[in-house]
Amino acid sequence: MNLKRIFGALLTVLGIGALIYTAVVFSNTSGSNADIKFLIIYGILGIIFFTSGISLVRTTKDES
C-alpha cells in the first residue's frame, strides 16, 4: 500500500471525526460565543481534512 493512500485515509478519518464532533457540539450547544467558535473551527477543519483526504486517495495511482 502506498504511503500517500495511508495518509489520505488518515486525513479522511480525522475529517469524519471532526464533523461528527461538530454535530455533537451543535446538538448540545446553548448558543454562547464559545460554542459558536468551536462549531466554526471544528467544522472548517473537518471539511478541509475530509476533502483533502478524499482527493489524495482518489488521485494516487496504485503502482505494483
Side-chain angles (χ1 to χ4, degrees):
M1 191 174 227
N2 200 351
L3 186 62
K4 285 184 182 178
R5 280 194 180 257
I6 294 172
F7 188 63
L10 180 68
L11 282 176
T12 304
V13 169
L14 284 174
I16 290 171
L19 290 173
I20 290 172
Y21 184 70
T22 303
V24 169
V25 170
F26 179 73
S27 66
N28 294 329
T29 188
S30 62
S32 67
N33 285 338
D35 290 337
I36 294 171
K37 284 182 185 178
F38 284 131
L39 284 173
I40 292 171
I41 290 170
Y42 288 124
I44 289 174
L45 283 177
I47 290 170
I48 289 172
F49 283 0
F50 182 72
T51 55
S52 64
I54 290 293
S55 67
L56 192 61
V57 169
R58 268 180 52 205
T59 58
T60 304
K61 294 183 170 86
D62 275 336
E63 295 177 3
S64 298

